[in-house]
């Protein structure tokens, strides 16, 4: 098994360019199913999840070609409707095929997803919303089995602004009869990106980026060409890396307006943050000050940057409280950070982090994609060698992460078969 080996101590400096967002492109690929014909998605990152989604679509009868940073998708008139467990066990986003399949085919059999180990990640809002639109959905032998000869617009109130549920209901609503209103909808930039692509395909959607989405169903959609929104979580990861390593990084291809709170927190920690057009420069010339972080749905602090915020707090001056409000098990990686010498105490969804001047390199395990990135950053500010295992998690969401970090001066590499014990 491959590891990522980090030799700590580098100050990261230089330029890095980000591409499209994992959390958007997977849904854009799902949305392509809604129209027969050739859809092209550009600014696509080279990550495992995109490959996996490509395989899933292929099994449905779709032709998928990933050429450079573009994915070309040819959707036939007749689609398969079954997505088996082998395909979805590590990619939760496959659940986002439920809405488009129901809208296009009137039925779907989708294995209950796996993905990150960060909490129960229930599907009640997906299922409840689709049921309100006329779908009959049962769960049997690890599969969701859904039928909806016709979907009808409905008013759906979400208990929580779930990203995945909002996306599924949107994709079901665009071809439903009548009007669908999604209240307490998620407002993430990736939702706006999906709304933009659906509108380019001919969908009638009002309120994108607000908590009320109004969708007027249409007869059919047409294929399109669409550029994926930049990955704000990858941008935020490099911004955090600059602050932690007391470095100077300029991230290109970013949308600073999607990271306002994150950049504000970095400024509070003592970094100089300059945003100009599509670039963000973060410079830090001293040890960061500890800052509290509370994760919330957008525009709150993203839960996907919580591990990096915790790693930053671990080397900051003072104590910080990190509160996780989105995924209950997202503190699972704290034990790994503690192995690197971090002083963290958790109580329910709060963690108190008392900063230390340096962490201390050790073998650790990536427990999910973002925790993995957080641990690599922690390794950069640790003394000695940190070996991060289970790096497939990182490969799910970060394209060429090791190469990018090396370009910024980090001593980091992929190594084969480091330290494996058999009992
Ligand atoms: C997406 C992102 C993930 C990000 C998260 C929140 C993708 C592929 N993943 O995940 O990186 O961290 O948004 O920004 O885009 N919930 C329910 N019932 C439901 C649906 C959700 O209880 O029917 C709960 C979940 O268990 C979780 C919370 O709501 O505690 C947020 O989940 P949701 O916003 O749906 O996240 P995902 O779409 O799974």
């Amino acid at each position: 098994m491959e590891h990522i080996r980090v030799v700590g101590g580098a100050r990261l400096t230089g330029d890095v360019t980000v591409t499209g967002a994992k959390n958007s492109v997977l849904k854009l690929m799902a949305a392509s199913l809604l129209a027969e014909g050739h859809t092209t998605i550009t600014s696509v990152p080279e990550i495992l999840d995109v490959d996996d989604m490509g395989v899933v679509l292929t099994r449905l009868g779709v032709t998928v070609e990933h050429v450079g940073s573009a994915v070309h998708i040819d959707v036939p008139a007749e689609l398969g409707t079954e997505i088996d467990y082998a395909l979805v066990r590590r990619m939760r986003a496959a659940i986002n095929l439920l809405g488009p399949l129901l809208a296009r085919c009137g039925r779907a059999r989708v294995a209950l997803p796996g993905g990150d180990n960060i909490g129960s990640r229930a599907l009640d809002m997906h299922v409840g919303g689709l049921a309100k639109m006329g779908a009959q959905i049962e769960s049997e032998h690890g599969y969701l089995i859904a039928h909806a000869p016709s979907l009808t617009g409905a008013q759906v109130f979400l208990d929580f602004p779930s990203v995945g549920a909002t996306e599924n209901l949107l994709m079901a609503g665009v071809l439903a009869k009548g009007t669908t209103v999604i209240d307490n909808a998620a407002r993430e930039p990736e939702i706006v990106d999906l709304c933009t692509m659906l509108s380019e395909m001919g969908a009638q959607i009002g309120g994108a980026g607000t908590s009320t989405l109004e969708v007027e169903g249409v007869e059919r959609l047409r294929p399109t060409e669409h550029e994926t929104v930049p990955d704000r979580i990858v941008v935020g990861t490099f911004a955090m890396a600059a602050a932690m390593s007391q470095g100077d990084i300029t991230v290109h291809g970013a949308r600073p307006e999607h990271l306002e709170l994150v950049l504000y927190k970095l400024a509070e920690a003592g970094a100089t943050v300059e945003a100009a057009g599509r670039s963000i420069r973060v410079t830090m010339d001293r040890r960061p000050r500890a800052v509290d972080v509370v994760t919330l749905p957008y525009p709150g602090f993203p839960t996907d940057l919580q591990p990096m915020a915790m790693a930053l707090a671990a080397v900051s001056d003072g104590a910080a409280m990190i509160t996780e409000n989105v995924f209950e098990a997202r503190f699972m990686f704290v034990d790994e950070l503690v192995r690197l010498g971090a002083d963290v105490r958790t109580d329910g969804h709060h963690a108190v982090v008392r900063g230390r001047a340096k962490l201390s390199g050790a073998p650790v395990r990536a427990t999910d994609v973002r925790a993995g990135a957080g641990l690599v950053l922690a390794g950069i500010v640790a003394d000695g060698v940190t070996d991060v295992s289970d790096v497939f998690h990182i490969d799910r969401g970060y394209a060429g992460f090791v190469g990018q970090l090396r370009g910024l001066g980090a001593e980091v590499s992929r190594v084969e078969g480091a330290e494996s014990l058999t009992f």
Side-chain angles (χ1 to χ4, degrees), residues 16 40 49 52 84 109 132 171-172 247 254 275 305 316 375 395 397:
V16 66
T40 299
D49 269 11
D52 285 350
D84 66 53
R109 187 167 182 272
K132 266 204 114 178
M171 290 191 274
L305 285 174
S316 292
L375 290 168
D395 296 337

Side-chain angles (χ1 to χ4, degrees), residues 23 27 92 121-125 162-164 303-304 326-327:
N23 286 353
K27 324 309 169 58
R92 179 179 165 86
R121 306 183 94 173
L123 296 173
D124 53 315
M125 288 183 262
S162 155
V163 170
T303 174
D304 285 350
V326 182
F327 286 112

Side-chain angles (χ1 to χ4, degrees), residues 197-215:
M197 172 162 150
L198 291 169
S199 302
E200 289 157 3
M201 294 169 80
Q204 303 287 321
I205 302 171
T210 75
S211 53
T212 304
L213 290 169
E214 202 168 315
V215 186

Side-chain angles (χ1 to χ4, degrees), residues 176-359:
K177 285 201 186 80
T179 309
T180 300
V181 178
I182 310 170
D183 267 312
N184 199 21
R187 291 182 284 161
E188 271 68 3
E190 295 77 26
I191 302 274
V192 177
D193 199 28
L194 177 62
C195 289
T196 306
M197 172 162 150
L198 291 169
S199 302
E200 289 157 3
M201 294 169 80
Q204 303 287 321
I205 302 171
T210 75
S211 53
T212 304
L213 290 169
E214 202 168 315
V215 186
E216 199 64 54
V218 296
E219 274 290 309
R220 64 171 40 80
L221 297 176
R222 52 181 181 269
T224 189
E225 176 163 344
H226 180 82
E227 182 183 348
T228 315
V229 72
D231 199 318
R232 66 197 162 97
I233 305 301
V234 175
V235 175
T237 301
F238 286 113
M240 296 270 182
M244 283 171 72
S245 70
Q246 300 182 35
D248 180 356
I249 297 178
T250 303
V251 189
H252 301 281
R255 295 274 295 267
E257 68 273 25
H258 293 165
L259 280 154
E260 276 182 0
L261 187 49
V262 173
L263 298 177
Y264 175 77
K265 286 284 166 186
L266 288 175
E268 231 189 322
T272 304
V273 179
E274 296 157 78
R278 291 285 177 108
S279 296
I280 301 172
R281 180 177 180 193
V282 178
T283 320
M284 184 70 120
D285 58 5
R286 70 192 92 147
R287 187 174 170 202
R289 274 192 297 274
V291 290
D292 293 343
V293 162
V294 177
T295 70
L296 279 172
Y298 190 83
F301 192 95
T303 174
D304 285 350
L305 285 174
Q306 182 256 102
M308 298 67 163
M310 180 120 37
L312 172 69
V315 291
S316 292
D317 190 11
M321 168 92 85
I322 312 270
T323 304
E324 173 56 58
N325 287 318
V326 182
F327 286 112
E328 80 257 10
R330 202 141 212 181
F331 283 159
M332 247 173 51
F333 97 109
V334 166
D335 289 347
E336 305 297 317
L337 200 59
V338 167
R339 288 181 50 71
L340 297 175
D343 181 349
V344 188
R345 286 191 186 207
T346 57
D347 183 2
H349 64 129
H350 299 291
V352 175
V353 188
R354 292 185 177 82
R356 295 203 155 139
K358 269 259 177 247
L359 298 177

Side-chain angles (χ1 to χ4, degrees), residues 77-99:
E78 295 290 323
L79 284 172
T81 55
E82 169 145 350
I83 296 166
D84 66 53
Y85 182 59
L87 294 174
V88 306
R89 52 193 286 250
R90 57 180 189 186
M91 192 192 50
R92 179 179 165 86
I95 196 64
N96 277 106
L97 294 164
L98 188 59

